[in-house]
Amino acid sequence: MENNRDGAFASAAELTTGIAARKAIRAGQWTSHTSGLAPGHVQGNVVILRAADADDFLRFCLRNPKPCPLLAVSEPGEPLLPTLGADVDIRFDVPRYRVWRKGELVAEPTAIAELWQADFVTFVIGCSFSFEQALLDAGIPLRHVANGRNVAMYRTNIPTTPAGKFHGPLVVSMRPMTAANAIRAIQVTSRLPNVHGAPVHFGDPAEIGIADLAKPDFGDPVEILPGEVPVYWACGVTPQAAVMEARPELCITHAPGAMLVTDLLNHQLAFS
Amino acid sequence: MENNRDGAFASAAELTTGIAARKAIRAGQWTSHTSGLAPGHVQGNVVILRAADADDFLRFCLRNPKPCPLLAVSEPGEPLLPTLGADVDIRFDVPRYRVWRKGELVAEPTAIAELWQADFVTFVIGCSFSFEQALLDAGIPLRHVANGRNVAMYRTNIPTTPAGKFHGPLVVSMRPMTAANAIRAIQVTSRLPNVHGAPVHFGDPAEIGIADLAKPDFGDPVEILPGEVPVYWACGVTPQAAVMEARPELCITHAPGAMLVTDLLNHQLAFS
């Protein structure tokens, strides 16, 4: 039991499906990170923008599919996302939101019905939870998971393809592993293009503009043992950073780690 | 026109199908390496053994599928290999053979009908020509191909799984490329398990027991430029070396580079 509101509780062990997780979240019984909820189910990054910004952002995602794989885009003003779950209502179904005005964080509510606008467009973007589960299922250990830390993330010198007001560098997540595991990891994640797909680089961090692996720009540093190489994947922080940089009048995102839990199964994302 | 016998010639430009290539080879009009013949068609390494040795060798190949991917195994005494081409007769259809007695090279004929035994078993093993074409088709440059050299090959400290008299180290071929191209190469060759599949290693040669990349055990050395990593694939020289080491009473192989040209298309080998 990790959450508590109005005397109601939810236990992660009970929230084994997307429907059960969302029901608890919607009832205010779960308001923190969703790692480990509804095992096997796809979770998504959330970005909500007004229509004028949404047009640019949609083109930004389409032009940068590795960091911004779109799992769903709503109709303008429509809070339901039926392709991710019959009952999904983006006004209530994220455990904790962040509300940004002109790039400044102004609130962290657990529902956004009162903020809803008739032209809001919701973007749900694939997240590395899905491919990390696939790697673990393939027998590839992930040190940050074993250590209970956040993955190490870095700004690179690889530019995204801009669209309107959205631009900025590719952000990558890094996982150290042996060469043999890296080869297997490339195979496993290649089958999952909707959750960042294959790595964008491995080996020398300087080649992609990373000065010091011990100093990630986001997340926690991770040890690299002898015989291991750092492997870099495009990261969903890329579009978040582009949105922050663009400073739109109003933007709502999920709070870090508190994702939208969907009814999709990770296995359904694999193209073969 | 590269070959000449009894006044007959063949031009590589004319030998665009497996059938045409084998017809010229069978007629003695082509007696050298088959690189570039019948573009897009699968070529195979050939090992012919007497039944007593063939049983062990079949188990050796099955236990070591990455270096020894079997494209076909004949019935004992049967010179035809109909799954590789309706007219394939292994007594005539290899441009040049090597005949080995107790591990010693004793002859290099262009046909072996006179040597044929009622218990001969033919093994046809996938060859890197197929995956190299797939890499080139994917836009990945291969320096040894561009330079017209043989690929660099190395004995490793990775043991094969022995079977009867056959054993020995894994032999790998190495191709230098950028990390981005290596990631793409892993994807491309993973789809081709019948021609060695994904790499077995990349990066540090010492990790797999290679002392000096500048001194390959077989083939030609190749330059590794800044920003490139060496990528290592299991190599069809592995079973050849195991056979030489075992010194069977009698063994017949193709001469280096003078492969069996089949009717299979490289694209047919991809599993997806």
Short mmCIF file of all heavy atoms in Angstrom, two decimals, chain B residues 104-125:
data_model
loop_
_atom_site.label_atom_id
_atom_site.label_comp_id
_atom_site.label_asym_id
_atom_site.label_seq_id
_atom_site.Cartn_x
_atom_site.Cartn_y
_atom_site.Cartn_z
N GLU B 104 45.63 -34.07 -45.77
CA GLU B 104 46.60 -33.53 -46.73
C GLU B 104 45.92 -33.28 -48.07
O GLU B 104 45.19 -34.15 -48.58
CB GLU B 104 47.76 -34.52 -46.94
CG GLU B 104 48.53 -34.86 -45.68
CD GLU B 104 49.24 -33.63 -45.07
OE1 GLU B 104 49.71 -32.78 -45.84
OE2 GLU B 104 49.27 -33.56 -43.82
N LEU B 105 46.15 -32.10 -48.63
CA LEU B 105 45.60 -31.77 -49.94
C LEU B 105 46.32 -32.59 -51.00
O LEU B 105 47.55 -32.52 -51.13
CB LEU B 105 45.80 -30.27 -50.21
CG LEU B 105 45.33 -29.75 -51.57
CD1 LEU B 105 43.82 -29.91 -51.74
CD2 LEU B 105 45.72 -28.29 -51.74
N VAL B 106 45.56 -33.38 -51.79
CA VAL B 106 46.20 -34.27 -52.79
C VAL B 106 45.81 -33.94 -54.22
O VAL B 106 46.48 -34.38 -55.15
CB VAL B 106 45.90 -35.76 -52.49
CG1 VAL B 106 46.50 -36.16 -51.15
CG2 VAL B 106 44.41 -36.05 -52.54
N ALA B 107 44.73 -33.18 -54.42
CA ALA B 107 44.33 -32.87 -55.80
C ALA B 107 43.35 -31.71 -55.80
O ALA B 107 42.68 -31.44 -54.79
CB ALA B 107 43.68 -34.09 -56.47
N GLU B 108 43.27 -31.00 -56.95
CA GLU B 108 42.32 -29.89 -57.12
C GLU B 108 41.59 -30.05 -58.46
O GLU B 108 41.75 -29.24 -59.37
CB GLU B 108 43.04 -28.55 -57.06
CG GLU B 108 43.60 -28.21 -55.69
CD GLU B 108 43.81 -26.71 -55.50
OE1 GLU B 108 44.00 -25.99 -56.50
OE2 GLU B 108 43.76 -26.25 -54.35
N PRO B 109 40.77 -31.09 -58.58
CA PRO B 109 40.10 -31.35 -59.86
C PRO B 109 38.91 -30.41 -60.08
O PRO B 109 38.48 -29.71 -59.17
CB PRO B 109 39.62 -32.79 -59.70
CG PRO B 109 39.36 -32.93 -58.24
CD PRO B 109 40.41 -32.09 -57.56
N THR B 110 38.36 -30.44 -61.30
CA THR B 110 37.15 -29.67 -61.61
C THR B 110 35.91 -30.56 -61.67
O THR B 110 34.82 -30.06 -61.97
CB THR B 110 37.31 -28.91 -62.94
OG1 THR B 110 37.55 -29.87 -63.97
CG2 THR B 110 38.45 -27.92 -62.87
N ALA B 111 36.08 -31.85 -61.43
CA ALA B 111 34.95 -32.76 -61.29
C ALA B 111 35.43 -33.92 -60.42
O ALA B 111 36.64 -34.18 -60.31
CB ALA B 111 34.47 -33.28 -62.64
N ILE B 112 34.47 -34.61 -59.77
CA ILE B 112 34.87 -35.69 -58.85
C ILE B 112 34.13 -36.99 -59.13
O ILE B 112 34.07 -37.88 -58.28
CB ILE B 112 34.66 -35.27 -57.37
CG1 ILE B 112 33.21 -34.84 -57.14
CG2 ILE B 112 35.65 -34.18 -56.98
CD1 ILE B 112 32.83 -34.75 -55.66
N ALA B 113 33.59 -37.12 -60.36
CA ALA B 113 32.83 -38.34 -60.69
C ALA B 113 33.70 -39.59 -60.50
O ALA B 113 33.22 -40.62 -60.01
CB ALA B 113 32.31 -38.26 -62.12
N GLU B 114 34.97 -39.50 -60.84
CA GLU B 114 35.85 -40.67 -60.74
C GLU B 114 36.15 -41.04 -59.30
O GLU B 114 36.56 -42.17 -59.02
CB GLU B 114 37.15 -40.40 -61.51
CG GLU B 114 36.92 -40.28 -63.01
CD GLU B 114 38.20 -39.89 -63.76
OE1 GLU B 114 39.28 -39.91 -63.12
OE2 GLU B 114 38.10 -39.55 -64.94
N LEU B 115 35.99 -40.09 -58.38
CA LEU B 115 36.28 -40.35 -56.97
C LEU B 115 35.04 -40.76 -56.19
O LEU B 115 35.13 -41.08 -55.00
CB LEU B 115 36.85 -39.08 -56.33
CG LEU B 115 38.17 -38.56 -56.89
CD1 LEU B 115 38.44 -37.14 -56.39
CD2 LEU B 115 39.31 -39.49 -56.50
N TRP B 116 33.89 -40.72 -56.84
CA TRP B 116 32.63 -40.86 -56.11
C TRP B 116 32.51 -42.22 -55.41
O TRP B 116 32.87 -43.25 -55.99
CB TRP B 116 31.43 -40.64 -57.04
CG TRP B 116 30.16 -40.45 -56.27
CD1 TRP B 116 29.16 -41.37 -56.11
CD2 TRP B 116 29.76 -39.29 -55.55
NE1 TRP B 116 28.16 -40.85 -55.33
CE2 TRP B 116 28.50 -39.57 -54.96
CE3 TRP B 116 30.34 -38.04 -55.33
CZ2 TRP B 116 27.82 -38.64 -54.17
CZ3 TRP B 116 29.66 -37.11 -54.56
CH2 TRP B 116 28.42 -37.42 -53.98
N GLN B 117 32.03 -42.23 -54.19
CA GLN B 117 31.84 -43.46 -53.42
C GLN B 117 30.36 -43.62 -53.09
O GLN B 117 29.65 -42.62 -52.93
CB GLN B 117 32.63 -43.38 -52.10
CG GLN B 117 34.12 -43.19 -52.28
CD GLN B 117 34.83 -44.46 -52.71
OE1 GLN B 117 34.44 -45.56 -52.34
NE2 GLN B 117 35.86 -44.31 -53.54
N ALA B 118 29.96 -44.86 -52.91
CA ALA B 118 28.53 -45.15 -52.68
C ALA B 118 28.04 -44.63 -51.33
O ALA B 118 26.82 -44.61 -51.09
CB ALA B 118 28.27 -46.65 -52.79
N ASP B 119 28.94 -44.26 -50.45
CA ASP B 119 28.50 -43.76 -49.13
C ASP B 119 28.84 -42.29 -48.91
O ASP B 119 28.77 -41.80 -47.78
CB ASP B 119 29.08 -44.62 -48.01
CG ASP B 119 30.60 -44.46 -47.89
OD1 ASP B 119 31.23 -43.90 -48.83
OD2 ASP B 119 31.16 -44.87 -46.85
N PHE B 120 29.19 -41.58 -49.98
CA PHE B 120 29.49 -40.15 -49.82
C PHE B 120 28.24 -39.38 -49.37
O PHE B 120 27.15 -39.58 -49.92
CB PHE B 120 29.96 -39.56 -51.16
CG PHE B 120 31.44 -39.60 -51.38
CD1 PHE B 120 32.31 -40.20 -50.48
CD2 PHE B 120 32.00 -39.03 -52.54
CE1 PHE B 120 33.68 -40.22 -50.70
CE2 PHE B 120 33.37 -39.05 -52.76
CZ PHE B 120 34.20 -39.64 -51.85
N VAL B 121 28.44 -38.50 -48.38
CA VAL B 121 27.38 -37.60 -47.96
C VAL B 121 27.87 -36.17 -48.19
O VAL B 121 28.98 -35.81 -47.79
CB VAL B 121 27.01 -37.79 -46.48
CG1 VAL B 121 25.93 -36.79 -46.06
CG2 VAL B 121 26.53 -39.22 -46.24
N THR B 122 27.03 -35.38 -48.85
CA THR B 122 27.39 -33.99 -49.16
C THR B 122 26.69 -33.03 -48.19
O THR B 122 25.49 -33.15 -47.95
CB THR B 122 26.96 -33.62 -50.59
OG1 THR B 122 27.60 -34.52 -51.50
CG2 THR B 122 27.33 -32.18 -50.93
N PHE B 123 27.48 -32.12 -47.64
CA PHE B 123 26.96 -31.05 -46.79
C PHE B 123 27.15 -29.73 -47.53
O PHE B 123 28.26 -29.42 -47.97
CB PHE B 123 27.71 -30.99 -45.45
CG PHE B 123 27.58 -32.25 -44.64
CD1 PHE B 123 28.41 -33.34 -44.89
CD2 PHE B 123 26.63 -32.36 -43.66
CE1 PHE B 123 28.29 -34.51 -44.15
CE2 PHE B 123 26.50 -33.52 -42.91
CZ PHE B 123 27.33 -34.60 -43.16
N VAL B 124 26.08 -28.96 -47.63
CA VAL B 124 26.18 -27.60 -48.18
C VAL B 124 25.85 -26.63 -47.06
O VAL B 124 24.78 -26.71 -46.44
CB VAL B 124 25.25 -27.40 -49.39
CG1 VAL B 124 25.43 -25.98 -49.95
CG2 VAL B 124 25.55 -28.44 -50.46
N ILE B 125 26.80 -25.74 -46.78
CA ILE B 125 26.75 -24.86 -45.61
C ILE B 125 26.67 -23.41 -46.08
O ILE B 125 27.39 -23.02 -47.01
CB ILE B 125 28.01 -25.10 -44.73
CG1 ILE B 125 27.97 -26.53 -44.17
CG2 ILE B 125 28.12 -24.06 -43.62
CD1 ILE B 125 29.24 -26.96 -43.47
#
